[in-house]
Amino acid sequence: MAKGGFPGMGGMNMNNLMKQAQKMQKQMQEKQEELGERTLEMTSGGGAVKVVITGKKEIKELKLNPDVVDPEDVEMLEDLIMSAVNEAIRQVEEMYNNEMGRMTGGMGMGF
């Protein structure tokens, strides 16, 4: 076995492997911070409800079209809000998975 190497590692020494892992970890942390600053906008009910969410899954804005506020049908409004918020969260998760998948070469590291 070569000094500092492992069988089957193609002669790569442990120091180089550690440096590459640390570099990738730093890049992933920077990407996570960048994604956390992004905002996404989702709507439901044809634009009746609008949600703005950050990459940290924080709701920054919630707008309701006054036309959908019907005191006789609060349940419909609740459903529209839930739909918009759930879709916003799903989009943030998809954004993270896509971006991190590019960095990890598709190693399946979900966030």
Side-chain angles (χ1 to χ4, degrees):
M1 174 169 38
K3 182 179 178 184
F6 291 93
M9 294 287 290
M12 177 181 263
N13 77 32
M14 193 62 165
N15 285 340
N16 286 343
L17 187 60
M18 290 300 294
K19 285 178 185 177
Q20 285 183 333
Q22 288 171 345
K23 181 180 177 184
M24 181 180 228
Q25 184 178 18
K26 183 179 181 207
Q27 289 173 337
M28 289 177 67
Q29 184 176 3
E30 289 169 354
K31 181 58 83 173
Q32 283 179 326
E33 290 171 8
E34 174 194 323
L35 293 174
E37 298 301 316
R38 288 188 190 175
T39 59
L40 299 171
E41 182 179 307
M42 298 299 127
T43 61
S44 68
V49 175
K50 179 179 93 170
V51 174
V52 176
I53 190 169
T54 70
K56 294 176 184 176
K57 299 181 186 173
E58 296 173 347
I59 304 296
K60 287 296 184 182
E61 188 177 325
L62 176 65
K63 296 283 186 183
L64 304 175
N65 180 328
D67 295 339
V68 298
V69 181
D70 179 359
E72 302 295 319
D73 195 2
V74 173
E75 190 175 307
M76 181 197 67
L77 181 57
E78 292 169 342
D79 288 345
L80 290 172
I81 292 169
M82 277 193 303
S83 175
V85 170
N86 287 333
E87 178 62 15
I89 291 169
R90 191 187 70 71
Q91 289 290 327
V92 168
E93 290 171 352
E94 185 176 303
M95 175 183 69
Y96 265 87
N97 288 335
N98 288 341
E99 292 290 329
M100 291 304 182
R102 286 187 197 135
M103 292 190 73
T104 62
M107 292 191 308
M109 300 176 77
F111 291 89

